[in-house]
């Protein structure tokens, strides 16, 4: 297995928030501490985050909330709707705190980040990991686990150990060969980062049950049966760092899709028009955040395929020239596409929009036929709207076609307050 040019002398830390959505809720509602708490997906459907108390009740991830609500309440717990605005803001606070501990950081997901600790070798890394953990807890209220080792994949293994073995107190540092071997022996192969369900099944059929056996597997077997990503996983388990730290995690998206299931069956054209206008508004905001414009727009509309009765699914699209991120123009185009795909007489469950052919603002081609929105007052208007909404809360300024009542919006009957992003929801001291 070729290791040319690969380093086996790195130190990587993975900081992972514990039951992140649940932890966010507990920061502002301490009465939830120690109780079984589960967070539900859109429209209060399936469980997407579980406290340890929920896990102890053997309630699986992805289970329908209604199925286990009685059991959870019996044990003094509760179900909550997903409060994505709160979680995103708390994530930003956690990541800003993590970034103070090392110059190189990769934000891997809403609740995980990698740090490069190569310049920290003279430190006791377990103590440094504990300092990271305690600082994040003190500054944000969010509990985290810290795993430190030679590669990203080994840091993931260390983080699993930190979470599951109480003796580590939330921080596990795997540097010595003996400790790494023991950790890999304890790690089922299916829990190795990058090993999916099908690979897990295949490897077990070939007597590879844990991460240590995968690391030490015959190279001819790995070369023949594993993909390039699988090869990298094995090399990382051997201690060779070949999955780079992404120092620019905000990669510009090639397409932006905004789509949600309605909170109820919707047959009214007006309500669907409001939903599509709202989704366009969200997509355009994301487009402007990454300083891009879109050259293509698609609108789609679906009925509920899980219910009996007539079904209808359709979409329509159009090119945008010149490419734009101006919300009023995008709403106008989306409403025209919606009128093409909408058929009366159906109960619709979902609508959505997709912006594609995305390019950077500085790459927009010149046109003598149409004035680009970047060259006139429209761009100034969008900057002003975005600035006000960032400062005072989403949809402080909104377009009339998005509606005011939004009875079609997804069901979130158990939603907690937006403690950090809405003035009226700020916690009050009694």
């Amino acid at each position: 297995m070729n290791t040319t040019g690969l380093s086996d002398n790195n130190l990587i830390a993975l900081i992972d928030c514990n039951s992140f959505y649940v932890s966010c809720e507990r920061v502002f509602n301490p009465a939830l501490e120690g109780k079984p708490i589960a967070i539900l997906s859109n429209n209060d459907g399936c469980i997407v985050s579980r406290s340890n108390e929920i896990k102890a009740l053997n309630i699986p991830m992805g289970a329908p909330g209604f199925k286990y609500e009685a059991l959870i309440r019996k044990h003094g717990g509760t179900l909550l709707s997903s409060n994505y605005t709160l979680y995103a803001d708390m994530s930003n606070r956690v990541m800003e705190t993590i970034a103070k501990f090392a110059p190189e950081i990769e934000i891997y997901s809403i609740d995980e980040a990698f740090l490069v600790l190569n310049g920290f070798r003279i430190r006791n890394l377990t103590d440094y990991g504990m300092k990271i953990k305690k600082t994040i807890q003190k500054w944000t209220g969010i509990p985290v686990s810290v795993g430190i080792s030679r590669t990203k994949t080994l840091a993931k293994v260390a983080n699993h150990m930190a979470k599951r073995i109480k003796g580590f107190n939330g921080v596990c540092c795997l540097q010595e060969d003996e400790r790494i071997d023991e950790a890999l022996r304890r790690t089922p192969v299916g829990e190795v980062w990058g090993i999916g369900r099908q690979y897990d099944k295949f490897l077990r059929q070939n007597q590879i049950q844990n991460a240590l056996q995968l690391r030490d597997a015959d190279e001819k077997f790995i070369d023949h049966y594993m993909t390039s990503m699988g090869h990298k996983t094995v090399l990382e388990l051997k201690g060779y760092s070949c999955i780079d730290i992404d120092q620019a995690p905000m990669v510009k998206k090639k397409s932006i899709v905004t789509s949600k299931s309605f909170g109820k069956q919707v047959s009214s054209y007006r309500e669907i028009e409001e939903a599509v206008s709202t989704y366009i508004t969200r997509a355009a905001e994301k487009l402007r955040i990454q300083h891009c414009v879109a050259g293509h727009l698609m609108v789609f509309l679906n009925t509920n395929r899980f219910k009996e009765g007539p079904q209808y699914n359709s979409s329509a699209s159009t090119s945008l020239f010149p490419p734009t991120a101006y919300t009023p123009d995008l709403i106008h185009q989306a409403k025209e596409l919606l009128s093409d795909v909408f058929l009366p007489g159906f109960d619709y469950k979902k609508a959505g929009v997709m912006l594609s052919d995305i390019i950077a603002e500085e790459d927009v081609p010149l046109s003598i036929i149409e004035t680009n929105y970047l060259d006139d007052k429209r761009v100034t208007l969008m900057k002003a709207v975005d600035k006000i909404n960032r400062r005072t809360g989403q949809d402080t300024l909104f377009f009339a076609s998005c509606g005011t009542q939004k009875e079609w919006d997804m069901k979130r009957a158990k939603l907690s307050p937006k403690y950090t992003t809405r003035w009226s929801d700020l916690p009050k001291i009694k």
Side-chain angles (χ1 to χ4, degrees):
M1 195 171 290
N2 187 9
T3 60
T4 303
L6 299 179
S7 172
D8 60 353
N9 197 34
N10 285 335
L11 281 174
I12 307 292
L14 172 64
I15 297 91
D16 185 12
C17 301
N18 301 338
S19 303
F20 180 59
Y21 291 177
V22 172
S23 295
C24 290
E25 300 287 353
R26 284 174 167 171
V27 169
F28 298 97
N29 187 357
L32 301 178
E33 199 68 48
K35 296 181 180 179
I37 307 298
I39 309 299
L40 299 170
S41 62
N42 290 347
N43 289 312
D44 293 345
C46 300
I47 293 172
V48 295
S49 183
R50 302 171 296 165
S51 67
N52 288 333
E53 296 79 10
I54 289 287
K55 296 173 185 177
L57 295 175
N58 294 318
I59 298 175
M61 182 72 85
F66 73 89
K67 185 177 179 180
Y68 292 95
E69 185 168 12
L71 175 63
I72 292 170
R73 293 192 182 281
K74 179 181 176 182
H75 287 82
T78 188
L79 293 169
L80 294 171
S81 301
S82 295
N83 191 341
Y84 295 120
T85 304
L86 172 66
Y87 308 152
D89 186 66
M90 292 300 291
S91 175
N92 288 336
R93 296 176 186 219
V94 170
M95 298 308 164
E96 287 176 1
T97 305
I98 293 173
K100 297 182 183 300
F101 287 94
E104 291 185 75
I105 178 174
E106 175 187 344
I107 300 173
Y108 179 65
S109 68
I110 192 172
D111 61 350
E112 292 178 277
F114 290 101
L115 287 178
V116 177
L117 300 180
N118 291 344
F120 296 77
R121 295 181 186 279
I122 61 173
R123 289 179 176 267
N124 182 312
L125 289 176
T126 299
D127 289 347
Y128 195 60
M130 189 60 68
K131 182 179 180 181
I132 294 173
K133 173 182 170 63
K134 289 181 177 179
T135 303
I136 294 171
Q137 177 91 50
K138 182 177 181 179
W139 290 10
T140 69
I142 301 296
V144 302
S145 298
V146 181
I148 302 172
S149 195
R150 302 172 186 172
T151 68
K152 277 186 172 183
T153 304
L154 288 175
K156 278 270 191 181
V157 172
N159 195 278
H160 281 305
M161 296 290 115
K163 282 181 180 289
R164 297 178 184 182
I165 300 177
K166 289 185 178 180
F168 285 123
N169 295 317
V171 178
C172 176
C173 182
L174 300 177
Q175 285 182 277
E176 300 81 9
D177 291 341
E178 297 79 9
R179 285 171 62 87
I180 292 174
D181 288 354
E182 181 59 28
L184 295 182
R185 187 178 292 110
R186 292 187 180 202
T187 304
V189 69
E191 292 186 6
V192 175
W193 190 37
I195 300 298
R197 185 178 301 174
Q198 292 302 316
Y199 259 129
D200 179 26
K201 182 179 178 181
F202 171 76
L203 291 170
R204 288 181 180 278
Q205 288 172 346
N206 285 273
Q207 309 309 310
I208 297 176
Q209 306 291 328
N210 59 46
L212 184 64
Q213 292 172 331
L214 176 61
R215 186 197 71 182
D216 297 338
D218 183 76
E219 288 192 9
K220 291 183 179 179
F221 174 86
I222 299 299
D223 289 339
H224 185 72
Y225 290 108
M226 302 289 279
T227 64
S228 60
M229 191 62 206
H231 281 73
K232 287 184 178 181
T233 297
V234 175
L235 285 169
E236 290 248 325
L237 292 175
K238 291 178 181 290
Y240 294 98
S241 185
C242 53
I243 302 176
D244 294 333
I245 286 289
D246 180 2
Q247 293 178 276
M250 290 298 290
V251 177
K252 290 181 171 61
K253 297 180 179 180
K254 295 181 179 179
S255 64
I256 295 175
V257 178
T258 306
S259 173
K260 292 180 182 177
S261 295
F262 301 136
K264 62 175 185 176
Q265 298 290 322
V266 176
S267 58
S268 163
Y269 181 83
R270 178 188 60 79
E271 288 186 282
I272 296 175
E273 188 179 64
E274 288 181 1
V276 168
S277 297
T278 300
Y279 299 157
I280 278 288
T281 300
R282 296 285 87 82
E285 288 170 350
K286 295 175 183 178
L287 198 59
R288 293 192 294 272
I289 285 173
Q290 62 182 41
H291 302 290
C292 289
V293 293
H296 195 268
L297 168 64
M298 182 177 75
V299 173
F300 56 90
L301 192 58
N302 301 330
T303 54
N304 189 348
R305 61 189 177 91
F306 296 105
K307 285 202 170 187
E308 294 184 0
Q311 300 290 324
Y312 174 73
N313 304 290
S314 186
S315 65
S317 60
T318 186
S319 295
L320 304 170
F321 187 81
T324 186
Y326 185 55
T327 302
D329 285 350
L330 291 169
I331 288 177
H332 176 74
Q333 292 285 351
K335 288 166 68 173
E336 288 193 351
L337 293 175
L338 178 63
S339 66
D340 292 337
V341 299
F342 178 83
L343 282 181
F346 289 94
D347 290 327
Y348 294 99
K349 182 59 178 175
K350 188 175 186 179
V353 302
M354 182 175 74
L355 296 174
S356 55
D357 289 352
I358 293 175
I359 59 175
E361 290 177 348
E362 60 267 24
D363 295 331
V364 175
L366 297 175
S367 172
I368 61 173
I369 301 174
E370 294 283 348
T371 303
N372 191 284
Y373 104 99
L374 295 168
D375 298 326
D376 57 33
K377 294 181 179 180
R378 288 175 293 174
V379 70
T380 305
L381 174 61
M382 288 295 93
K383 286 181 179 179
V385 170
D386 290 341
K387 183 176 181 179
I388 291 171
N389 285 338
R390 280 196 301 269
R391 180 177 295 177
T392 59
Q394 190 179 76
D395 290 336
T396 299
L397 293 179
F398 64 94
F399 295 89
S401 61
C402 297
T404 55
Q405 300 300 318
K406 298 190 177 182
E407 297 177 357
W408 47 267
D409 205 359
M410 65 179 181
K411 182 175 65 176
R412 291 195 287 180
K414 309 172 190 296
L415 184 65
S416 56
K418 296 179 179 178
Y419 296 104
T420 64
T421 57
R422 181 182 290 168
W423 288 109
S424 61
D425 288 350
L426 285 175
K428 299 177 179 63
I429 299 175
K430 296 182 180 180

